[in-house]
Amino acid sequence: MQRARRWQWQRIEGIQMSEFKTIGKNEQRVDIRSKVLGTAVYAADVNLPDMLHGKVVRCYEHAHARVVSLDLSAAAAVPGVVKVLGPKDVTSKAFNKSVIDLMASESTAQMLGDIEEQHIFTDHVKFYGDGIAGIIATSEEAAEQAAALVAVEYEPLPVYLTPEASAAPDAVQFTDQKPGNLAFSLPDGMFPGGQLGWGEVDQAFEGADLVIEDTFYTPKQKQCQMEPNSYVALYDDEGRLNCWMSSQMPKLVHEKLARLFEMPMSQVKVTQTVVGGGFGARLGMVMEPEVCAMALAVPGRPVKLQQPREEDWLTSPSRHPSRYWMKLGFKKDGTPAACDARSTNFKGGYYLDGSALASTTGFWLQGMYRFDTLRYKGDSYFTNQPVCGAFRGYGNPQTNFVLEQMIDRGCAELNIDPLEWRKKWHKQVGDMSWLNATPYTSCALDECLDQGAEAIGWAEKRAKYASQTGTKRRGIGVSVGNHTSGAFPMILEQTTCTVRLNEDASATVLVACSEIGQGSHTTLRQIAAETLGLPLDDVRLDAGDSDANGFDIGAHASRTLYVGGTAVMKACEDAREQLFARAAKLLQTSIDELDIDENKQIFVKDSPDRFVSAAKICRDGSFNFANPQTGELEGEPGQIQAYVSYKPDNNSPPFFSTFVEVEVDTETGEVDVLELVSSHDIGRAIHPAICEGQMEGGAQQGLGMALMEEIYFDDNGHVTNNSFTDYKMLGASDMPKMTNILVENPDPYGPFGAKSVGEAGLVTPVGATANAIFQATGIQFTQGPITPEKILQAIKEKGLSYT
Amino acid sequence: MSKHAITLKVNGASYDLVVASNKTLLEVLRDQLNMPETKYGCGTGECGACSVLVEGDVAINSCLTLAATMDGREITTAAGLQQNGELHPVQQAFIDHSAVQCGYCTPGMVVKGVSLLAKNPNPTEQEIREGLEGSICRCTGYVKIVEAVDAAGKAMAVAAD
């Protein structure tokens, strides 16, 4: 670990920014031409000859019920229907659609309490839209017609829409593996006392000058990735199961499908198509088990499963809603003496990644500030709601909404500037990071805050808005955060990469890292080209093919550039070294004396007239002809290929801040976001426009979480807004003026000093918006999202400050 | 379901088709003509991923348009904006400004951009933002899309001079 660190430092200090050929440049994205033309192939665009269409029959009558009887005979009689499938017609094996359980050892997963309790089709409906049967037909119309003719008799069960309701002693049990419908709580064996933190919290509160506490609610937000989940599956004539899909984690899905259908992984082929957005909605499997079960039922014929938006909404996981209690203790001078918190999460109908979310919500809490003492407890209870799973930030936006408002409340009570408080008390290099196990390796949060404050005019506006009259009130708020770069040391990290030099010294990089729109294939290619010393056009990534690619975890935990990028860099360093070793032999010098130019000529640095073509070395390696005159072999034999299986032993969280300025119409309750400034300490921007893109898109989702986005239910547990008509997001004309600042402070571990940027952009706009509304109205809103109705109601109840 | 014989001109080529009354233009483009560049996002006219141009420069939601009503009309999709291997200035601007992430909304956004610039060749930023309403992007926060449409407008004005 120490060696790796020194080596990395040398690399960064040795190469100045200007020396980079492609790192730091806004290169053309590798996928962009086909995307502006529309020729990029997404899963729904895959069409195979003789293709059938699948349809899952869903329960829309009840959010909680038992299937008493299921009669598929009328459906089977519809012309064009090839097969109808009930629970008994497919594997009875229980599984877990999430892949998080694969990322912990078996004993750890056991300690965490991970379970497998899902079935392809269920006889215990646990949420509105749960799947009970399947239809395979020659057309979508026939499948839909048949689905409408499925005769089901249900025994309705009580509907539980809150943890309190499902935890009641007489409540129907979701699974006998989780008594009391408690899906998860921090396990004692891993976190002593079932809690995170440090110090004597209760004692610290006794010594505090100010103690504040409140209970918040953070909403069930939907990722709304633009491409609904679609699939094609084929159980082919050679007995292989093929699945074209758009999971963020194709290799783990590969293993999950093989396990579920009890086939060797070599007999399962997963092809990741172009992915139309993820944000966590496709972290594990969504409908892969269903479509593969259908394909297995009709050997030799491909089955396509396309979900309408409304159905995709119900079947892909959303953000966990949470009830989040927090109590803070401060000394008069602002010293944060104690933090006590508990988040109780609404799990939805199935367990999925049950062990992870309630944990990480607390990790982000303990990672942010230097509290003298801290205690966090987290749990999740089953509810009759569509499943919850990963959504960009993974608990961090929830914590941001709560913690950052509470900090501002404390600062207001103590009359301390909230910006200065944050600068004084945020964690620094050397402090323990979010898991409380490894120290922060780099932190430029102060610079983020300084640049952000300057860009938005914090000091002037904060002072100006301190006293206002009139119906429209302005406010400015700040929020800070940090996130992660990969999942180490929490759960599994590993990326394999193979680099092959072709006969002309161009390179093929085989790596399973997912491009889900975030631009990772473009930035990984830049890392490969920079490391190999090859022109960008000479480097191609080959990804998304479970036959060709080795192991990788996939896109989650903001890991792809940080972990995948390092894997690519290491493999490319090896390939370059092999190439240079052959050149050194020919030029009778050492590797260190060599460099490569833009024409792929390897030359001696001190005497550039001594050079050899990289293409010749590579061609000779593959062809290795014998010289007809001498009989000697030309060149050194063997194609150059390098391989690494990289498992990081470090993590470099990015730090970031957001400032938001709002205007609240106190007569209508409407919030107009006037300006947003985010600054991120990203270590090094491999591709600045791609980094900005993550921050810009994250802001749209963060503002949405703060102000308007929530899935609603009626009393029966029916979802009332599972469409873009009823679930509103910010459109182009709703977005504020935005400034996104990249603060470059190379990290000792990240590839070329880079840290992550993927999820972070969503996090701090949430707290900053709430804090801006706090300044504008003098009211804190504990129940997200902060809609006009809630604002009007609060003004009515509490009155406006500064009137 | 009754059927209709229609002629549809798509990207310059003419197609004689028989379409069912209930088939949308989106379904006909994707399923009958095998032109996947027009995307299904919501089916309710809210997201704009299915936008195509009618008669060269009017953007419509193809998911809300019954194909049978388009007899004799000329349709242009994002793929059809390319001429002799040259991208449309709006497409080129999307590339130059890295205005694409997952790309699923992109063909519709490009079409929207072409349409709004046809109506208003010199739009303000606010007019671009309003012109893009009805098209949802979940990746970019619209920043680079707005920049790209603005730059395309300027490039087209220069080219027209």
Side-chain angles (χ1 to χ4, degrees):
Chain A
M1 187 167 172
Q2 282 307 310
R3 233 182 89 222
R5 181 177 191 168
R6 276 201 304 277
W7 169 82
Q8 193 73 33
W9 266 120
Q10 281 166 5
R11 173 168 200 99
I12 290 158
E13 286 165 359
I15 303 177
Q16 293 304 308
M17 204 46 202
S18 57
E19 290 178 42
F20 290 135
K21 291 177 181 164
T22 176
I23 298 295
K25 295 200 172 77
N26 289 334
E27 306 285 4
Q28 181 170 321
R29 284 182 60 123
V30 293
D31 50 358
I32 202 165
R33 198 177 158 89
S34 65
K35 284 179 173 176
V36 298
L37 284 165
T39 52
V41 178
Y42 298 81
D45 304 331
V46 174
N47 290 310
L48 299 177
D50 207 20
M51 195 165 69
L52 299 170
H53 295 268
K55 172 94 193 153
V56 176
V57 182
R58 303 195 170 279
C59 173
Y60 293 118
E61 290 86 353
H62 307 283
H64 199 191
R66 267 183 226 291
V67 177
V68 177
S69 69
L70 179 72
D71 182 356
L72 299 169
S73 55
V78 170
V81 169
V82 174
K83 208 134 201 181
V84 292
L85 303 170
K88 293 190 182 76
D89 304 313
V90 293
T91 179
S92 59
K93 207 164 178 252
F95 59 95
N96 177 337
K97 281 190 175 180
S98 169
V99 291
I100 296 283
D101 55 342
L102 291 181
M103 290 191 256
S105 70
E106 225 163 278
S107 56
T108 303
Q110 207 167 15
M111 191 184 283
L112 287 165
D114 287 342
I115 59 167
E116 298 183 310
E117 94 290 25
Q118 291 179 279
H119 291 90
I120 306 272
F121 304 120
T122 188
D123 58 9
H124 182 176
V125 171
K126 291 176 181 170
F127 65 87
Y128 173 76
D130 210 350
I132 57 167
I135 312 277
I136 307 166
T138 52
S139 70
E140 275 186 281
E141 287 87 346
E144 272 166 29
Q145 207 186 329
L149 293 175
V150 171
V152 200
E153 191 190 332
Y154 292 107
E155 176 202 343
L157 298 170
V159 174
Y160 310 117
L161 297 177
T162 62
E164 295 76 15
S166 77
D170 59 345
V172 176
Q173 297 299 291
F174 280 61
T175 159
D176 55 14
Q177 299 176 75
K178 293 287 179 184
N181 290 329
L182 175 61
F184 174 78
S185 67
L186 289 175
D188 200 53
M190 201 171 284
F191 306 104
Q195 63 190 44
L196 306 177
W198 53 86
E200 298 296 327
V201 176
D202 297 320
Q203 237 173 330
F205 275 118
E206 280 169 31
D209 299 312
L210 172 70
V211 176
I212 52 175
E213 73 173 285
D214 216 331
T215 303
F216 293 72
Y217 171 79
T218 59
K220 187 171 171 75
Q221 185 189 21
K222 193 75 192 99
Q223 296 87 348
C224 298
Q225 82 290 346
M226 289 312 295
E227 179 210 9
N229 286 289
S230 292
Y231 309 87
V232 175
L234 168 66
Y235 185 42
D236 71 23
D237 293 336
E238 305 298 342
R240 283 192 107 197
L241 177 61
N242 300 265
C243 186
W244 289 261
M245 50 69 163
S246 49
S247 173
Q248 297 175 221
M249 305 175 111
K251 292 301 285 189
L252 295 180
V253 169
H254 183 205
E255 184 178 353
K256 279 251 158 162
L257 289 174
R259 281 188 187 200
L260 172 58
F261 297 110
E262 297 173 274
M263 298 169 75
M265 284 175 73
S266 55
Q267 286 297 92
V268 178
K269 178 171 165 68
V270 164
T271 304
Q272 184 191 42
T273 61
V274 176
V275 180
F279 318 120
R282 315 177 203 255
L283 201 84
M285 301 188 289
V286 181
M287 298 301 292
E288 286 87 345
E290 287 85 341
V291 73
C292 288
M294 288 178 183
L296 287 164
V298 287
R301 296 197 71 178
V303 179
K304 189 172 202 171
L305 181 63
Q306 284 180 280
Q307 298 212 106
R309 173 64 60 183
E310 292 78 3
E311 216 171 302
D312 185 63
W313 204 286
L314 302 173
T315 55
S316 59
S318 70
R319 191 182 295 291
H320 292 69
S322 72
R323 193 154 289 141
Y324 203 138
W325 169 82
M326 188 176 286
K327 180 175 169 184
L328 298 183
F330 296 91
K331 299 275 194 193
K332 265 190 203 124
D333 64 357
T335 304
C339 172
D340 198 5
R342 177 180 207 115
S343 92
T344 296
N345 296 277
F346 300 49
K347 187 58 244 179
Y350 293 97
Y351 180 81
L352 295 181
D353 54 342
S355 56
L357 189 275
S359 311
T360 59
T361 301
F363 295 158
W364 313 128
L365 177 67
Q366 67 179 1
M368 195 60 239
Y369 295 117
R370 290 171 158 172
F371 284 104
D372 289 344
T373 65
L374 185 142
R375 176 169 61 203
Y376 166 87
K377 293 184 177 186
D379 46 27
S380 300
Y381 287 85
F382 289 115
T383 53
N384 292 117
Q385 294 167 314
V387 291
C388 303
F391 188 164
R392 197 176 197 173
Y394 213 78
N396 207 341
Q398 290 94 309
T399 287
N400 198 266
F401 184 73
V402 176
L403 175 63
E404 292 297 272
Q405 288 204 73
M406 289 293 279
I407 294 299
D408 265 30
R409 192 185 298 188
C411 287
E413 296 267 354
L414 296 168
N415 202 20
I416 293 172
D417 181 273
L419 173 59
E420 293 309 316
W421 189 92
R422 285 176 172 83
K423 281 166 88 168
K424 185 162 181 191
W425 295 107
H426 74 76
K427 284 192 172 182
Q428 295 278 10
V429 174
D431 287 337
M432 280 296 155
S433 72
W434 48 265
L435 193 61
N436 207 21
T438 53
Y440 285 121
T441 54
S442 60
C443 173
L445 183 55
D446 288 337
E447 201 178 329
C448 291
L449 284 165
D450 288 344
Q451 289 199 33
E454 163 124 26
I456 202 164
W458 163 266
E460 311 87 82
K461 286 175 179 167
R462 186 81 186 171
K464 191 172 154 196
Y465 301 153
S467 59
Q468 298 174 73
T469 53
T471 57
K472 291 194 175 179
R473 304 286 177 89
R474 291 191 175 187
I476 186 166
V478 61
S479 165
V480 296
N482 63 40
H483 201 63
T484 189
S485 297
F488 173 87
M490 178 176 56
I491 45 175
L492 177 65
E493 263 307 348
Q494 184 102 270
T495 293
T496 63
C497 177
T498 301
V499 177
R500 208 166 50 215
L501 297 187
N502 299 314
E503 290 71 28
D504 61 353
S506 65
T508 303
V509 179
L510 290 108
V511 66
C513 290
S514 291
E515 169 64 66
I516 60 172
Q518 82 281 44
S520 65
H521 285 181
T522 301
T523 50
L524 292 176
R525 182 183 182 226
Q526 285 177 281
I527 287 174
E530 190 73 52
T531 311
L532 288 164
L534 295 178
L536 206 52
D537 285 345
D538 278 39
V539 178
R540 182 171 165 77
L541 249 62
D542 189 353
D545 177 335
S546 69
D547 283 350
N549 296 138
F551 183 77
D552 173 65
I553 288 161
H556 89 130
S558 298
R559 65 178 295 279
T560 303
L561 182 79
Y562 184 80
V563 180
T566 305
V568 167
M569 193 173 82
K570 284 176 180 290
C572 289
E573 278 170 350
D574 183 349
R576 178 179 160 126
E577 201 164 305
Q578 292 184 46
L579 178 66
F580 276 28
R582 293 186 190 186
K585 225 186 229 179
L586 290 169
L587 298 170
Q588 294 174 321
T589 182
S590 69
I591 293 175
D592 294 343
E593 301 304 317
L594 296 176
D595 203 349
I596 186 166
D597 69 15
E598 63 278 10
N599 298 315
K600 298 192 281 184
Q601 306 287 351
I602 301 170
F603 61 94
V604 180
K605 280 185 266 190
D606 289 340
S607 46
D609 54 326
R610 288 165 60 205
F611 61 88
V612 59
S613 143
K616 181 173 165 41
I617 293 173
C618 289
R619 191 163 194 281
D620 285 349
S622 291
F623 292 12
N624 211 228
F625 292 121
N627 184 308
Q629 269 88 45
T630 64
E632 271 179 47
L633 297 180
E634 287 174 355
E636 219 167 303
Q639 182 174 16
I640 293 175
Q641 188 156 295
Y643 163 80
V644 298
S645 198
Y646 171 66
K647 195 172 182 336
D649 51 13
N650 40 56
N651 191 331
S652 309
F655 283 81
F656 40 91
S657 68
T658 295
F659 292 84
V660 166
E661 183 185 2
V662 299
E663 182 173 87
V664 181
D665 186 326
T666 58
E667 290 181 324
T668 65
E670 277 171 299
V671 176
D672 188 5
V673 183
L674 303 173
E675 189 171 358
L676 179 146
V677 177
S678 284
S679 327
H680 284 219
D681 160 21
I682 42 86
R684 164 100 64 204
I686 303 293
H687 186 297
I690 283 176
C691 296
E692 289 162 10
Q694 288 303 299
M695 295 159 71
E696 292 158 356
Q700 190 265 0
Q701 299 177 351
L703 290 170
M705 178 175 166
L707 294 172
M708 60 180 71
E709 293 186 34
E710 180 175 17
I711 300 177
Y712 293 114
F713 297 86
D714 67 15
D715 293 343
N716 298 317
H718 294 200
V719 177
T720 59
N721 61 343
N722 52 326
S723 71
F724 290 154
T725 308
D726 298 313
Y727 182 98
K728 287 300 175 198
M729 294 174 273
L730 283 93
S733 64
D734 304 316
M735 289 300 293
K737 175 188 172 197
M738 288 209 281
T739 306
N740 289 285
I741 300 165
L742 301 172
V743 175
E744 293 198 283
N745 173 47
D747 178 83
Y749 297 106
F752 296 97
K755 305 196 279 188
S756 78
V757 69
E759 293 172 271
L762 187 152
V763 177
T764 40
V766 181
T769 303
N771 283 341
I773 294 172
F774 179 38
Q775 202 203 9
T777 61
I779 300 169
Q780 279 200 330
F781 291 85
T782 57
Q783 310 294 297
I786 309 173
T787 58
E789 293 82 0
K790 288 176 191 165
I791 290 177
L792 281 185
Q793 184 66 26
I795 289 174
K796 204 167 139 191
E797 281 169 15
K798 296 177 182 170
L800 275 179
S801 62
Y802 320 126
T803 43
Chain B
M1 196 62 66
S2 61
K3 309 262 185 190
H4 305 263
I6 63 166
T7 303
L8 215 53
K9 232 181 165 183
V10 186
N11 299 336
S14 195
Y15 301 90
D16 293 322
L17 301 165
V18 175
V19 299
S21 302
N22 65 343
K23 284 287 167 194
T24 64
L25 179 59
L26 173 65
E27 289 168 314
V28 168
L29 289 172
R30 287 186 62 84
D31 304 336
Q32 272 179 264
L33 293 175
N34 199 20
M35 295 179 175
E37 66 270 21
T38 305
K39 301 297 181 197
Y40 166 87
C42 68
T44 54
E46 297 284 352
C47 78
C50 67
S51 299
V52 295
L53 296 167
V54 183
E55 311 304 346
D57 54 17
V58 179
I60 60 162
N61 288 317
S62 64
C63 76
L64 293 182
T65 307
L66 290 172
T69 67
M70 300 306 283
D71 187 21
R73 308 301 286 268
E74 193 176 329
I75 307 296
T76 310
T77 68
L81 288 168
Q82 181 179 222
Q83 302 232 318
N84 308 320
E86 269 292 292
L87 296 176
H88 188 282
V90 172
Q91 290 172 315
Q92 189 57 50
F94 269 61
I95 292 178
D96 297 342
H97 289 262
S98 297
V100 175
Q101 288 187 34
C102 89
Y104 199 77
C105 77
T106 308
M109 280 289 179
V110 165
V111 158
K112 265 301 199 11
V114 172
S115 175
L116 85 86
L117 289 174
K119 250 186 276 176
N120 179 0
N122 187 22
T124 63
E125 185 189 329
Q126 191 55 30
E127 285 167 343
I128 294 172
R129 289 180 177 275
E130 281 163 15
L132 293 174
E133 279 299 345
S135 287
I136 300 174
C137 171
R138 192 58 156 168
C139 295
T140 66
Y142 304 97
V143 177
K144 295 186 184 345
I145 294 176
V146 173
E147 284 171 9
V149 174
D150 181 55
K154 291 185 170 117
M156 287 160 77
V158 170
D161 274 348

